[in-house]
Amino acid sequence: MSEVRVAFRGSLDDFVPPEMRDRWFAWPLDRRTSIKDLLESLGPPHTEIGAIVVNGRSVGFEYIVREGDRIEVLPASDGGEAEALLRPPLPLPPSFVLDTHLGKLVTYLRLLGFDAVYERNADDDQLALVSAHEGRVLLTRDRGLLKRGIVTYGYYVREQDPERQTAEVLRRYRLAGHVTPFRRCARCNTPTVPVRKEDVLDRLEPKTRLYYDEFRECPRCAGIYWKGSHYDRMLDLIGRLTGDA
Ligand SMILES: [Zn+2]
């Protein structure tokens, strides 16, 4: 039977069984297949792949696999220039769309200033479409969703704890230098605007009134934001986890 040889590198380990991690292994080639379909059948969604090197040459997802090919697969965090063969470069900072089980992560990303859309009742079709049409990175813990062909940008969130998930996303997309605290409403994703303290005084708790002077307001839902203790704790944690926030 004809076969190919495959090696997954780096964080792609998270999607394959131990005997396939970071080593060459033989795999039967029993049909005509694109390299995208072959690699996804082995585990990793295409969104997690940063470069595919076949017999020493980088190829795109449409490459048709041939008998005897040696296929080395690098993670998206490590694709280098070859990633351009797989997808156009992301704008920095990227914007996001989050799966329904990531409701806390979306709050943190918005508080840190990142454009992140979230709909509690969104189904997989809607998530994939928003990601495709708006060029947003789809964040999810659903590997199947990331294998959809129309999803160009996506990331499989490994962590379960929302604060650790936030740090994970900051690391993956190198966002530490792009944090702009409270520039975006945590509730509705609308950019906030500065507001005078005296204009919101009647809506503040006594302690907030006493200890804080800088406020921002959401023009859409009228949420008020200031750099309180919760925010300090979050930045501390992210600083510790990323080492550079
Ligand atoms: Zn709002």
Side-chain angles (χ1 to χ4, degrees):
M1 193 189 344
S2 70
E3 62 178 34
V4 294
R5 296 187 70 77
V6 183
F8 289 110
R9 303 301 188 196
S11 61
L12 294 172
D13 278 358
D14 297 343
F15 302 97
V16 295
E19 65 272 18
M20 291 183 183
R21 288 179 189 163
D22 202 26
R23 76 190 59 174
W24 289 98
F25 60 90
W27 196 255
L29 183 65
D30 51 11
R31 63 196 162 93
R32 181 183 157 87
T33 177
S34 72
I35 204 156
K36 173 183 182 289
D37 289 347
L38 175 79
L39 295 177
E40 287 193 323
S41 73
L42 291 171
H46 68 279
T47 53
E48 295 285 326
I49 295 171
I52 307 167
V53 183
V54 178
N55 308 322
R57 189 172 64 89
S58 295
V59 301
F61 286 128
E62 68 291 341
Y63 174 82
I64 302 297
V65 183
R66 284 183 289 206
E67 182 179 354
D69 278 349
R70 284 177 65 85
I71 303 166
E72 187 168 21
V73 193
L74 304 179
S77 53
D78 201 18
E81 288 179 10
E83 187 166 1
L85 290 171
L86 305 183
R87 59 187 70 88
L90 259 182
L92 252 180
S95 58
F96 300 96
V97 53
L98 280 75
D99 204 345
T100 54
H101 51 266
L102 297 173
K104 291 213 173 96
L105 173 59
V106 78
T107 301
Y108 287 135
L109 288 176
R110 288 171 178 171
L111 284 174
L112 294 170
F114 300 108
D115 180 356
V117 300
Y118 174 81
E119 190 62 59
R120 198 179 309 146
N121 302 314
D123 62 27
D124 285 359
D125 288 342
Q126 291 167 324
L127 292 165
L129 278 173
V130 169
S131 172
H133 289 168
E134 300 180 18
R136 291 176 179 273
V137 176
L138 174 53
L139 299 179
T140 180
R141 288 184 46 77
D142 176 351
R143 300 165 194 221
L145 178 52
L146 292 176
K147 291 184 181 179
R148 294 193 178 202
I150 69 163
V151 176
T152 300
Y153 305 108
Y155 176 69
Y156 174 74
V157 179
R158 272 74 162 175
E159 297 281 359
Q160 311 244 13
D161 170 73
E163 290 181 335
R164 290 181 166 275
Q165 289 174 339
T166 308
E168 181 187 353
V169 172
L170 290 189
R171 268 198 309 272
R172 166 65 186 86
Y173 292 98
R174 300 186 176 94
L175 297 177
H178 296 272
V179 170
T180 54
F182 292 132
R183 296 307 172 91
R184 201 170 279 278
C185 179
R187 265 187 287 181
C188 73
N189 199 43
T190 305
T192 60
V193 294
V195 64
R196 290 186 307 177
K197 186 176 182 178
E198 52 265 41
D199 292 341
V200 293
L201 212 53
D202 56 333
R203 288 150 62 196
L204 303 177
E205 300 288 329
K207 275 190 178 167
T208 309
R209 216 181 281 180
L210 193 61
Y211 292 124
Y212 300 96
D213 293 313
E214 274 182 59
F215 295 89
R216 299 182 72 88
E217 185 179 29
C218 172
R220 181 161 166 220
C221 75
I224 302 173
Y225 295 92
W226 65 95
K227 294 178 184 176
S229 55
H230 175 71
Y231 173 76
D232 289 337
R233 279 203 307 279
M234 187 173 66
L235 277 200
D236 280 352
L237 180 84
I238 288 165
R240 283 201 305 278
L241 292 176
T242 62
D244 56 3

